[in-house]
Amino acid sequence: MTTSVTPTTDLDSTELRKAFGAFPTGVVALAGMSGAEPAVIVASSFAVGVSQEPPLVMFAVQQSSTTWPILRELPSLGVSVLGESHTDVIRQLSAKDKTQRFAGVETTVLSSGAMLLDDAPVHFECAIESSHTAGDHEIVVLRVTGLANDHSKQPIVFHRSAFARLSA
């Protein structure tokens, strides 16, 4: 069997997106309170295990995001690994209409202002450690300052532009 690789100068953006989508990823909500207003972005680019000492995680956000400039200024962010119970709200949380993102979504706001989505399999409380420009995205490294892990809940996976459940 012979495999051919398309040179980067000939890449079609749709095919590139499909290729990236072939890699299953978890989905997280990064949220916090900006004054009295909640702000959230949903990311499938989240990576854990960047470092254990110090405890670091990371994600990538589009530079065109209108929510990231708000979240970037907060002292603490809540990172909720989204689970099976969040399937119906994932697209709502990332909708263009920011006024309806949290309608009917149960959350907990920590004293730091970090916001967590209830019923998530894993919660992290984080502070921004550093960020780096990477093409049309910003790679953000977060320092974990707190966590909660509920082994009874299963995460949701994003694969080939669809949300899927893990099976044993």
Side-chain angles (χ1 to χ4, degrees):
M1 183 167 140
T2 303
T3 300
S4 65
V5 177
T6 304
T8 58
T9 55
D10 299 332
L11 284 180
D12 173 83
S13 62
T14 302
E15 285 304 310
L16 182 61
R17 187 174 178 88
K18 286 179 183 176
F20 286 169
F23 184 74
T25 63
V27 184
V28 299
L30 296 105
M33 295 298 294
S34 178
E37 295 296 318
V40 64
I41 57 175
V42 174
S44 61
S45 59
F46 185 73
V48 296
V50 172
S51 172
Q52 286 190 337
E53 190 54 47
L56 301 174
V57 296
M58 70 179 192
F59 74 102
V61 60
Q62 289 181 342
Q63 289 185 15
S64 62
S65 170
T66 58
T67 304
W68 176 239
I70 297 165
L71 290 171
R72 181 189 307 129
E73 298 303 317
L74 302 180
S76 189
L77 297 174
V79 179
S80 301
V81 174
L82 300 182
E84 293 176 345
S85 67
H86 298 111
T87 305
D88 294 336
V89 301
I90 292 173
R91 295 201 191 278
Q92 174 185 327
L93 290 169
S94 56
K96 295 283 186 204
D97 182 0
K98 295 178 183 182
T99 63
Q100 296 301 309
R101 286 184 175 176
F102 288 98
V105 179
E106 295 187 25
T107 62
T108 299
V109 178
L110 304 179
S111 61
S112 65
M115 178 183 280
L116 304 171
L117 275 65
D118 293 353
D119 296 324
V122 179
H123 291 115
F124 296 101
E125 183 177 11
C126 298
I128 297 171
E129 180 82 5
S130 63
S131 65
H132 313 277
T133 300
D136 60 359
H137 278 64
E138 184 175 342
I139 297 171
V140 182
V141 179
L142 303 170
R143 181 182 290 258
V144 177
T145 58
L147 67 91
N149 194 354
D150 185 340
H151 298 283
S152 71
K153 294 180 173 64
Q154 292 297 313
I156 199 76
V157 175
F158 190 65
H159 181 240
R160 299 205 189 276
S161 299
F163 298 105
R165 289 183 159 89
L166 293 176
S167 60

